[in-house]
Amino acid sequence: MLLEIAQWLAKDIRGFAVFNYITLRAVLATLTALAIGLICGPALIQRLAALKIGQAVRQDGPQTHLGKSGTPTMGGALVLISVAMSTLLWADLANRFIWIVLLVTLGFGAVGWVDDYRKVVHRNPKGMRSGEKYFWQSLIGIVASVYLAFTIPTDSASQTWGLFSAWVRSGFTLELPGKADLLVPFFKNVAYPMGALGFIALTYFVIVGTSNAVNLTDGADGLAILPAVMVGSALGIFAYVAGNAVFARYLAFPYIPGAGELVVICGAIAGAGLAFLWFNAYPAQVFMGDVGALALGGALGTIAVIARQEILLFIMGGVFVVETLSVMIQVGYFKYTKKRYGQGKRIFRMAPLHHHFEVSGVKETQVVVRFWIVTMMLVLFGLCSLKLR
């Protein structure tokens, strides 16, 4: 919105041409989202408290968490508002990737909002039925996956329908251009073609999987939000490289026209996340809830796919991955031992993994900060792949 105004003014006042630089608008988007979050945060928290939208804490969770019952939740709405407003103000709204990331983010946020609402109204920590939640997540994920499968390999949105039509006419056998190949980090010329169906399946897994992984991690004050900020900021760098013809050629990355504009939304995510952390740091004044966690995870997954960095998302988001695996291992082993021995056994004292450490006697703040440090190291390791290839 502001970019269009600046471009119009630049016809008469050359100084406004500076807003054509993506990096400047990314910084401004970060500051705008940060300001919106810090200014609107107290009012939102007070409103949530007045409506008695408080967190329902698991009775079987760590005993130290019982005192958090009643803390306002659904604070992730603050993140969504900040990200959406900042992006609409500073991004190029004609960009084909900005809208798909925004729609996926808001779509998953809507699913999370319904889940949180049911938790609050019915005082049921489980919220939506798992099947119902998964259906809506899958619907959004599939639509986004199909769109990206035929948008990323093309140079403009107008070519998307042509590639899709050609794929249908070929009997679904047409190979996608090399831009859609799966890149292997730290190897300059190693990429695996997946075909359209393989690309759609992988993209679906990345978007939906990341959304749920961030949601599972969001179980302690500040635990999920700062890793999401760090991973999102790193993905912004990769998106900028992919969207810049000179940098992409120099670093041997596939050139994805328009991908660089995602730096703006990554900046908005960083600013909104830091603003939310201001209120979510221990002891938390507000919780993010599914409305924020599902949305942030969906956004990170979508950006990673567009930047062609699905494997690096797996590496940099290692905390999210480990948290998810701990739940899968715990549930799977419990069901296996119950079926075989008649009594379920557990590998961890409690899942997700951060609860295991808390129950083992590690303070919540120590767990959170250590997970932040691990994420920082993984993100720096991932950024090394820009040059070490």
Side-chain angles (χ1 to χ4, degrees):
M1 183 183 301
L2 293 181
L3 174 61
E4 294 180 359
I5 297 174
Q7 290 175 336
W8 177 73
L9 292 173
K11 296 177 182 178
D12 299 313
I13 307 174
R14 292 183 58 187
F16 283 96
V18 72
F19 290 100
N20 287 319
Y21 289 96
I22 296 175
T23 48
L24 173 62
R25 287 187 285 112
V27 172
L28 293 174
T30 304
L31 295 175
T32 301
L34 180 63
I36 293 173
L38 292 177
I39 293 171
C40 298
L44 177 64
I45 294 172
Q46 290 178 5
R47 183 61 177 170
L48 292 173
L51 294 174
K52 297 183 179 180
I53 300 179
Q55 177 71 28
V57 178
R58 289 171 49 183
Q59 295 301 313
D60 59 341
Q63 295 301 304
T64 55
H65 285 210
L66 295 179
K68 300 181 181 184
S69 180
T71 301
T73 187
M74 297 180 70
L78 178 66
V79 177
L80 293 186
I81 293 171
S82 302
V83 169
M85 291 182 63
S86 182
T87 301
L88 292 175
L89 285 174
W90 294 111
D92 179 5
L93 300 184
N95 184 277
R96 54 187 175 151
F97 295 125
I98 286 294
W99 285 108
I100 187 61
V101 174
L102 269 180
L103 291 174
V104 169
T105 303
L106 296 176
F108 276 99
V111 175
W113 186 89
V114 173
D115 188 30
D116 286 335
Y117 179 79
R118 294 185 182 179
K119 289 177 182 177
V120 171
V121 173
H122 301 289
R123 299 296 176 182
N124 180 7
K126 295 183 179 180
M128 291 176 69
R129 296 190 303 274
S130 58
E132 182 183 3
K133 182 191 291 188
Y134 185 67
F135 168 79
W136 290 110
Q137 288 179 310
S138 297
L139 180 62
I140 298 169
I142 290 173
V143 171
S145 299
V146 173
Y147 175 79
L148 292 175
F150 301 99
T151 298
I152 290 175
T154 59
D155 293 336
S156 64
S158 60
Q159 299 175 355
T160 300
W161 178 252
L163 181 59
F164 176 77
S165 300
W167 178 63
V168 174
R169 289 195 302 271
S170 70
F172 308 105
T173 59
L174 179 70
E175 292 293 328
L176 295 178
K179 294 179 183 180
D181 293 350
L182 178 64
L183 299 183
V184 179
F186 299 102
F187 293 91
K188 186 173 294 185
N189 299 311
V190 179
Y192 295 98
M194 299 179 289
L197 293 178
F199 182 96
I200 292 171
L202 177 64
T203 300
Y204 165 83
F205 172 78
V206 170
I207 294 175
V208 177
T210 307
S211 176
N212 285 295
V214 174
N215 193 35
L216 287 173
T217 307
D218 183 35
D221 297 354
L223 178 58
I225 190 63
L226 191 57
V229 167
M230 289 190 282
V231 174
S233 300
L235 287 175
I237 296 175
F238 284 101
Y240 182 77
V241 170
N244 186 293
V246 176
F247 290 159
R249 188 183 305 111
Y250 174 68
L251 295 172
F253 277 80
Y255 173 49
I256 313 292
E261 194 67 23
L262 292 179
V263 180
V264 177
I265 197 169
C266 288
I269 290 173
L274 291 176
F276 180 77
L277 181 60
W278 183 275
F279 306 105
N280 186 236
Y282 183 88
Q285 297 174 255
V286 65
F287 295 136
M288 183 156 52
D290 287 11
V291 62
L294 292 179
L296 283 175
L300 295 179
T302 307
I303 294 169
V305 170
I306 297 172
R308 312 305 308 123
Q309 299 299 329
E310 298 93 337
I311 295 179
L312 268 185
L313 173 63
F314 184 87
I315 295 173
M316 296 189 298
V319 165
F320 302 137
V321 174
V322 171
E323 290 274 71
T324 304
L325 289 177
S326 70
V327 174
M328 296 173 63
I329 293 171
Q330 185 87 321
V331 173
Y333 186 72
F334 184 86
K335 290 183 177 179
Y336 168 76
T337 53
K338 186 174 183 179
K339 182 178 180 180
R340 180 159 185 173
Y341 304 109
Q343 182 177 1
K345 299 181 181 180
R346 295 175 173 83
I347 295 179
F348 305 103
R349 300 187 68 175
M350 186 174 291
L353 187 61
H354 62 269
H355 284 330
H356 167 80
F357 291 119
E358 288 183 78
V359 174
S360 300
V362 183
K363 293 183 179 180
E364 179 182 351
T365 50
Q366 289 179 308
V367 174
V368 171
V369 173
R370 288 170 182 174
F371 275 38
W372 288 352
I373 294 172
V374 170
T375 300
M376 186 178 299
M377 292 189 296
L378 293 175
V379 167
L380 292 174
F381 177 72
L383 288 173
C384 291
S385 68
L386 283 167
K387 193 61 180 176
L388 300 180
R389 306 177 72 225

